[in-house]
């Protein structure tokens, strides 16, 4: 089994908790029909489309969590992600976050009618 050079025990604990399989249940936008609603990618498995080896990563479910906070999270708060689901989910979460107004944007213009 391949593992990262740093935090190998944490990485292994996350993968074990998720049965060495990607945690994604459609957050990436794909239905994962073959896997019963869950991504079928397994750690150190091979992809059929690209013929490359899959290395799952451990990351928070909220992929917009800042890196400095993410490295402090315990294994129970991390999820196993395959690269394809991780990238697609991160793009979707960024797009959703960009569409939400920030407090600064709310205060930029006062469009309320004057009394």
């Amino acid at each position: 089994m391949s593992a990262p050079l740093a935090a190998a025990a944490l990485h292994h604990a996350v993968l074990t908790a998720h049965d060495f399989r990607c945690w994604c249940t459609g957050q990436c936008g794909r239905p994962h029909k073959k896997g019963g609603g869950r991504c079928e990618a397994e750690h150190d498995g091979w992809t059929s489309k690209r013929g490359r080896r899959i290395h799952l990563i451990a990351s928070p479910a909220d992929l917009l969590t800042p890196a400095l906070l993410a490295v402090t999270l315990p294994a129970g708060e991390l999820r196993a992600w395959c690269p394809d689901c991780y990238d697609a989910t991160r793009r979707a979460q960024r797009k959703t976050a960009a569409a939400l107004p920030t407090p600064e944007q709310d205060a930029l213009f006062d469009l309320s009618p004057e009394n």
Side-chain angles (χ1 to χ4, degrees):
M1 179 186 88
S2 62
L5 294 176
L10 179 65
H11 184 257
H12 189 265
V14 172
L15 295 185
T16 301
H18 297 286
D19 299 321
F20 292 86
R21 189 171 160 200
C22 181
W23 171 81
C24 183
T25 55
Q27 294 84 346
C28 66
R30 286 174 246 150
H32 300 302
K33 291 179 184 177
K34 289 182 183 177
R38 183 174 167 200
C39 179
E40 57 276 359
E42 293 183 4
H43 188 65
D44 282 344
W46 293 89
T47 62
S48 58
K49 288 184 180 179
R50 297 182 188 101
R52 63 180 165 88
R53 200 168 201 163
I54 300 169
H55 298 286
L56 299 182
I57 61 169
S59 183
D62 178 4
L63 299 181
L64 300 180
T65 303
L68 290 175
L69 176 60
V71 299
T72 64
L73 295 174
E77 294 185 37
L78 299 173
R79 305 292 177 258
W81 292 92
C82 74
D84 293 338
C85 290
Y86 176 87
D87 291 340
T89 303
R90 189 168 170 92
R91 277 192 302 274
Q93 287 182 357
R94 281 184 177 169
K95 187 176 180 180
T96 301
L100 298 175
T102 62
E104 296 83 23
Q105 289 173 327
D106 286 343
L108 186 58
F109 298 104
D110 184 11
L111 300 176
S112 61
E114 293 186 25
N115 293 333

